[in-house]
Amino acid sequence: MKLFKAEEYIDQLSIDSVIFGYKNKELKVLVAKVHFEGDFWSLPGGFIYKEEGTDLAAARILEERTGLRDIFLEQYRVFGQEGRSNNVLFENLLNVPKSDFFTKEDFKWLSQRFVSIAYYALVEIDRVKLSKGVFDEKVEWVDYKKLPNLIMDHSLMVEHALETLRLNFDRKLIGFNLLPETFTMRELKELYEAVYDKPFARNNFQKKMLDLNVLERLEKKYTGAANKAPYLYRFKH
Amino acid sequence: MKLFKAEEYIDQLSIDSVIFGYKNKELKVLVAKVHFEGDFWSLPGGFIYKEEGTDLAAARILEERTGLRDIFLEQYRVFGQEGRSNNVLFENLLNVPKSDFFTKEDFKWLSQRFVSIAYYALVEIDRVKLSKGVFDEKVEWVDYKKLPNLIMDHSLMVEHALETLRLNFDRKLIGFNLLPETFTMRELKELYEAVYDKPFARNNFQKKMLDLNVLERLEKKYTGAANKAPYLYRFKH
DNA sequence: GCAAAAGTGTTTGGCATACACCCATGT
DNA sequence: ACATGGGTGTATGCCAAACACTTTTGC
């Protein structure tokens, strides 16, 4: 059965997404090991139906991989260098047992030069139910500092996404998309430290956050530790 | 003779550019009156050859219209809503005496839903030698506050371009691309006032600019006016 | 001398950083 | 009592905005 229908998509145009998650004080990126010879990893991506809006396409692709809807998702750049293609990868693939999903023509289509619209997304990592894409051997959350070899310009895509994330983090208050509903000030600070890769002063950080007037203070969180119990906070919608 | 060859371009993908210029204390945008029935104006745009880099395509299109090379030019956003097409315009065109340049199939191709990569450019307005595009009745520099009816989402494109311009104006020191080689501090201030649409305090503006350490002070400029002669400045490469 | 515009200095206020202290909690 | 981490208050320094004054130029 043939599942992939190249003729339904716009030619030479793709979407790639840098999906950020946060756990264990690490800012993580979702990457997939490509099911080909060699150690190739890739960002989750896909294609755009001929009449589909690009934002909708990106949301669809995100949902296919994570199961999540209504997630923070924003385009940040187009990568459209001349010669930008996967041909080496797909030529490799032709010597590998292939899926029934694809015809030789599909591989030719996939090997073209592609212009890719890059999106970045922020997700609460524990809500994600990962699904593999058709080309994926496995998908994993990886600390952005320890990324494996990414295909094509995907490393550059992560770099630019991180840059954009940092620029917008405060301005658009998007960081809360990475945290669960409630959190302590310490947890919020550790998120900032992971994103900016630098320490923040505890007292000044707290003041700055409270001065934003977007946090709602809830009850205290008794952890059983031998110290003062921290307050829980919630982001005011 | 047929000049337009749709089959050489990527399908359903286009480039549109917001080209900014500055003159008479006004920030201007280059727009073209489309050569169809009715009062339709459009941003300069074009298409991408199948193997052409997007930045190169944008530069090529810019050069076709302005005669300028090596100009500040940057992509800032993709406009790819579902239903984004020129079909109304081109259906109109079919009832109008048409050029030999296009076949009926070309018009069909042009009427598809398009995803457009938007660029913004900054040019020194006096160096520009304007050329009309194939669809243009005329091209003009228009104050961004007095733009005519633009087709499709081109008004939105200008809005976003202006937003991006303002965000990057200081950070990337790109304003100098709008001015001639040498200029007075007053002229620079007036440029800032046109871009941000608000007044700047003379003394503080001067201090801020000089503190950037990117301006070279040249000789004085004697205008013949009954007041102190201002210095000329040049942007250090 | 005078009007007009340029150049520069001084004061003020807000905000980020640094330093310091007190409070709650469990052993 | 005390160690640990949480919460908050105060002092410092920088930068932008506001205010003020002097200088140059042509009539």
Side-chain angles (χ1 to χ4, degrees):
Chain A
M1 185 182 90
K2 186 163 177 301
L3 278 187
F4 183 80
K5 295 178 180 166
E7 65 279 7
E8 296 183 351
Y9 296 113
I10 296 179
D11 221 32
Q12 297 187 251
L13 187 60
S14 61
I15 284 178
D16 287 300
S17 299
V18 179
I19 306 177
F20 288 109
Y22 173 71
K23 193 154 199 180
N24 299 333
K25 308 186 189 179
E26 285 178 352
L27 183 67
K28 293 171 187 292
V29 174
L30 188 61
V31 291
K33 185 167 190 307
V34 188
H35 206 189
F36 299 152
E37 303 246 14
D39 191 39
F40 294 112
W41 295 72
S42 146
L43 291 172
F47 307 102
I48 305 163
Y49 291 116
K50 286 186 191 297
E51 301 299 332
E52 185 183 33
T54 48
D55 288 348
L56 293 176
R60 170 177 57 76
I61 293 165
L62 178 67
E63 188 179 352
E64 284 165 9
R65 300 303 185 96
T66 66
L68 299 180
R69 287 163 170 273
D70 297 323
I71 289 302
F72 179 88
L73 179 66
E74 214 174 60
Q75 50 148 302
Y76 65 96
R77 207 175 189 298
V78 169
F79 293 82
Q81 278 299 105
E82 55 275 18
R84 188 184 175 284
S85 98
N86 252 326
N87 53 357
V88 177
L89 198 65
F90 285 110
E91 277 165 21
N92 245 359
L93 183 74
L94 294 176
N95 304 320
V96 162
K98 17 183 158 24
S99 147
D100 306 326
F101 294 173
F102 301 94
T103 65
K104 203 164 179 175
E105 281 66 40
D106 289 333
F107 286 121
K108 203 163 183 181
W109 188 86
L110 290 163
S111 301
Q112 294 178 102
R113 172 272 176 120
F114 268 84
V115 173
S116 183
I117 308 173
Y119 281 74
Y120 75 109
L122 305 184
V123 303
E124 197 180 322
I125 216 164
D126 284 327
R127 292 179 52 215
V128 174
K129 289 199 169 42
L130 288 180
S131 303
K132 286 189 288 188
V134 283
F135 298 117
D136 304 342
E137 184 181 321
K138 56 181 173 183
V139 284
E140 273 179 26
W141 290 103
V142 180
D143 183 356
Y144 80 90
K145 291 181 181 173
K146 299 169 192 159
L147 287 174
N149 292 327
L150 298 180
I151 57 168
M152 292 203 289
D153 50 7
H154 285 201
S155 296
L156 189 63
M157 285 180 167
V158 175
E159 256 178 61
H160 278 270
L162 184 60
E163 223 171 82
T164 308
L165 175 66
R166 285 173 174 164
L167 272 176
N168 292 339
F169 208 66
D170 266 351
R171 214 161 52 79
K172 299 190 181 175
L173 297 174
I174 54 183
F176 302 102
N177 293 292
L178 292 165
L179 290 175
E181 175 75 10
T182 65
F183 46 85
T184 64
M185 195 55 78
R186 164 185 270 258
E187 288 164 344
L188 184 59
K189 181 170 91 79
E190 285 169 347
L191 169 61
Y192 268 74
E193 292 175 334
V195 168
Y196 288 98
D197 194 26
K198 69 172 184 186
F200 286 81
R202 189 170 56 87
N203 52 348
N204 298 328
F205 181 83
Q206 171 132 346
K207 186 177 306 186
K208 183 178 144 186
M209 286 301 128
L210 294 181
D211 285 353
L212 291 176
N213 273 323
V214 296
L215 291 184
E216 193 178 349
R217 179 177 278 186
L218 308 172
E219 76 281 8
K220 290 189 175 185
K221 181 188 183 189
Y222 290 89
T223 60
N227 53 44
K228 196 170 175 177
Y231 291 105
L232 283 174
Y233 294 90
R234 173 170 36 205
F235 183 56
K236 288 191 212 163
H237 49 273
Chain B
M1 187 180 91
K2 186 163 177 303
L3 278 187
F4 183 81
K5 294 178 179 166
E7 66 278 9
E8 295 183 351
Y9 296 113
I10 296 179
D11 220 32
Q12 297 187 253
L13 187 60
S14 61
I15 285 178
D16 287 299
S17 299
V18 179
I19 306 176
F20 288 108
Y22 173 70
K23 193 154 199 180
N24 299 333
K25 307 187 189 179
E26 285 179 351
L27 182 67
K28 293 170 186 293
V29 174
L30 188 61
V31 291
K33 184 166 191 305
V34 188
H35 206 186
F36 299 153
E37 304 243 16
D39 191 40
F40 295 113
W41 294 72
S42 146
L43 291 172
F47 306 102
I48 305 163
Y49 291 116
K50 286 185 190 299
E51 302 298 333
E52 184 183 33
T54 47
D55 287 350
L56 293 177
R60 170 177 58 75
I61 293 166
L62 178 66
E63 188 180 351
E64 285 165 9
R65 300 303 185 96
T66 65
L68 298 179
R69 287 163 169 272
D70 297 323
I71 288 302
F72 179 87
L73 179 65
E74 213 174 60
Q75 50 147 301
Y76 66 95
R77 205 174 190 299
V78 170
F79 293 82
Q81 279 299 104
E82 56 275 17
R84 188 185 176 285
S85 98
N86 252 327
N87 52 358
V88 178
L89 198 64
F90 285 110
E91 278 165 20
N92 244 0
L93 183 74
L94 294 176
N95 304 320
V96 163
K98 18 183 156 28
S99 148
D100 306 326
F101 294 173
F102 301 95
T103 65
K104 202 164 179 176
E105 281 67 41
D106 289 333
F107 286 120
K108 203 164 182 180
W109 187 87
L110 290 163
S111 301
Q112 293 178 101
R113 172 271 177 122
F114 268 84
V115 173
S116 183
I117 309 173
Y119 281 74
Y120 75 109
L122 306 183
V123 302
E124 196 182 322
I125 217 166
D126 284 327
R127 291 179 53 215
V128 174
K129 287 199 173 41
L130 288 180
S131 304
K132 287 190 285 187
V134 282
F135 298 116
D136 304 341
E137 184 181 320
K138 55 181 174 183
V139 286
E140 274 178 26
W141 290 103
V142 181
D143 184 355
Y144 79 90
K145 289 181 181 174
K146 298 170 192 157
L147 287 174
N149 291 327
L150 297 181
I151 58 168
M152 291 203 288
D153 49 8
H154 285 200
S155 295
L156 190 62
M157 285 181 167
V158 175
E159 256 179 61
H160 278 271
L162 184 60
E163 222 172 83
T164 308
L165 174 67
R166 286 173 174 165
L167 272 175
N168 291 339
F169 208 66
D170 265 353
R171 216 161 50 80
K172 299 189 180 174
L173 296 174
I174 54 183
F176 302 102
N177 293 293
L178 292 165
L179 290 175
E181 175 75 10
T182 65
F183 46 86
T184 64
M185 194 56 78
R186 165 185 269 258
E187 288 164 344
L188 183 60
K189 182 171 89 80
E190 286 169 347
L191 168 62
Y192 268 73
E193 291 176 334
V195 168
Y196 288 98
D197 194 26
K198 69 171 183 185
F200 285 82
R202 192 169 54 87
N203 52 348
N204 297 328
F205 181 83
Q206 170 132 346
K207 186 177 304 184
K208 184 178 144 187
M209 286 302 128
L210 293 181
D211 284 353
L212 291 175
N213 272 324
V214 296
L215 292 185
E216 193 179 348
R217 180 177 278 186
L218 308 172
E219 76 281 7
K220 288 190 176 183
K221 182 189 183 188
Y222 289 90
T223 61
N227 53 44
K228 196 170 174 177
Y231 290 104
L232 282 174
Y233 293 90
R234 172 169 39 202
F235 183 56
K236 288 191 211 164
H237 53 272

